């Protein structure tokens, strides 16, 4: 048998989805009984509200498949969901019973909540209907790729490795020269970089700096790399503010255009986003052209509000002096 769990107001008045949306969904169900196909999971004694299996099923559909699975594996969590549904409806029913729904501000909030839900639903309907199929998306994406090829240009890049010896004193130079001599004698560059380089990021990768475009490295380093001709070629000692570098050229990659396969997914997303935004904007424009403002009424409203604001800001009249 399901029992009530102790909750605070925030547990069910601050759900994950907007409160106005949840209340709007709940109000039409107040006092309704379960259909023959739905079992009643909780029924109020003091208030005529129920929570049925259909209600819980709908709430579960709001969750991801993973979250639904976790919820079904945790009976207490599912019970807590049922409790929150019941308390939300019970509070709403009590508000109806005490006449809160007749208050102008509450009526406006309920109307606004309904408008929000219906507006969002219509927007979803418009964009869903406008979404092109995968073949059309790919065709549009390829058109963009061909027409705007400059967007996908890649600069010439160089891949190099280095060993960094910190410091610029004689001792640092001597250590760097020793390592350079070992490399020229056939020592393994990667092993020496891991054991000696003061650049921890590249040292862990055997000195590999990856690909970089012109202008990314400090000037002495860049000039030394530019002077190297063949992959595998070593520089001499290169001094920079960081210390002494020994650089090996690994690969040069000429400027070019990214292949379509590398940018296809991002272009697909771009195409879909543009199509859906256009569909939404077209519908907004269509509805906007059917509207006509009343400037006279607006001016009168502004004048009225200013008058009220001035009246509220005016100091209260001083009390009259007592008669002598």
């Amino acid at each position: 048998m399901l029992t009530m769990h102790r909750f605070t107001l925030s547990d069910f008045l601050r759900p994950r989805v907007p409160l106005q949306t949840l209340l709007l969904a709940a109000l039409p169900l107040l006092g309704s009984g379960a259909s023959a196909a739905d079992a009643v999971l909780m029924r109020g004694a003091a208030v005529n509200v129920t929570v049925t299996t259909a209600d819980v099923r709908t709430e579960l559909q709001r969750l991801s498949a993973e979250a639904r699975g976790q919820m079904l594996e945790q009976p207490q969590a599912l019970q807590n969901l049922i409790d929150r549904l019941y308390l939300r409806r019970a509070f709403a029913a009590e508000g109806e019973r005490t006449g809160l729904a007749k208050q102008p501000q509450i009526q406006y909030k309920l109307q606004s909540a309904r408008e929000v839900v219906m507006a969002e639903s219509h927007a979803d309907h418009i964009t869903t209907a406008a979404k092109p199929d995968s073949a059309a998306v790919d065709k549009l994406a390829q058109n963009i790729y061909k027409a705007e090829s400059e967007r996908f240009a890649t600069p010439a890049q160089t891949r190099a490795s280095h060993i960094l010896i910190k410091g610029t004193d004689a001792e640092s130079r001597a250590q760097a020269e020793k390592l350079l001599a070992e490399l020229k004698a056939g020592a393994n560059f990667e092993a020496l970089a891991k054991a000696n380089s003061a650049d921890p990021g590249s040292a862990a990768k055997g000195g590999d700096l990856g690909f970089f475009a012109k202008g990314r490295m400090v000037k002495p380093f860049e000039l030394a790399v530019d002077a190297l001709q063949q992959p595998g070629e070593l520089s001499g000692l290169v001094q920079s503010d960081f210390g002494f570098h020994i650089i090996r050229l690994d690969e040069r990659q000429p400027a070019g255009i990214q292949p379509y396969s590398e940018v296809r997914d991002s272009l697909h997303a771009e195409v879909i986003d543009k199509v859906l935004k256009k569909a939404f904007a077209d519908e907004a424009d269509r509805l906007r052209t059917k509207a006509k403002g009343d400037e006279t009424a607006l001016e009168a409203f502004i004048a009225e509000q200013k008058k009220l604001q001035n009246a509220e800001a005016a100091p209260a009249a001083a009390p009259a002096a007592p008669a002598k």
Side-chain angles (χ1 to χ4, degrees), residues 67-81:
R68 286 199 299 271
Q70 292 175 351
M71 181 78 75
L72 295 174
E73 292 296 326
Q74 301 175 32
Q76 184 60 50
L78 195 59
Q79 178 180 321
N80 291 347
L81 171 63

Side-chain angles (χ1 to χ4, degrees), residues 89-267:
R89 291 182 177 177
F91 266 69
E94 286 297 287
E96 288 275 6
R97 185 182 64 79
T98 56
L100 291 177
K102 296 178 182 178
Q103 294 182 9
Q105 287 188 339
I106 301 300
Q107 289 180 346
Y108 183 78
K109 287 182 179 180
L110 291 173
Q111 177 188 340
S112 297
R114 186 176 190 280
E115 290 170 354
V116 167
V117 173
M118 293 308 300
E120 291 177 348
S121 298
H122 182 58
D124 288 343
H125 172 74
I126 292 295
T127 54
T128 298
K131 186 174 180 179
D133 60 36
S134 57
V137 169
D138 193 60
K139 183 177 180 180
L140 290 169
Q142 291 195 48
N143 289 342
I144 293 174
Y145 180 74
K146 293 174 184 176
E148 303 176 21
S149 59
E150 69 281 356
R151 285 177 51 187
F152 313 105
T154 56
Q157 297 188 89
T158 298
R159 183 178 181 181
S161 299
H162 81 142
I163 298 173
L164 171 64
I165 303 302
K166 273 190 175 180
T168 56
D169 56 19
E171 184 178 349
S172 298
R173 176 181 286 276
Q175 183 184 356
E177 287 177 342
K178 180 177 179 295
L179 290 174
L180 180 58
E182 291 179 23
L183 289 169
K184 289 181 177 180
N188 182 274
F189 190 99
E190 286 76 11
L192 288 184
K194 289 179 180 179
N196 298 278
S197 182
D199 177 7
S202 65
K205 297 179 287 186
D208 187 7
L209 292 166
F211 280 100
F212 51 89
K214 200 169 185 62
R216 289 287 304 278
M217 299 299 179
V218 293
K219 197 66 175 178
F221 191 103
E222 185 173 278
L223 291 173
V225 169
D226 288 346
L228 299 175
Q229 300 297 315
Q230 298 297 326
E233 185 178 350
L234 293 173
S235 71
L237 294 190
V238 178
Q239 185 176 340
S240 76
D241 292 339
F242 298 100
F244 292 102
H245 306 261
I246 301 171
I247 306 169
R248 183 186 69 187
L249 175 64
D250 294 328
E251 185 180 350
R252 292 205 190 276
Q253 193 174 77
I257 302 293
Q258 284 181 278
Y260 178 70
S261 59
E262 290 184 4
V263 298
R264 179 177 55 220
D265 290 347
S266 62
L267 282 176

Side-chain angles (χ1 to χ4, degrees), residues 13-37:
L13 292 183
R14 295 179 183 175
R16 291 184 179 180
V17 293
L19 173 62
Q20 59 185 25
T21 302
L22 292 177
L23 286 177
L24 181 66
L27 287 175
L29 298 174
L30 294 176
S32 64
S35 67

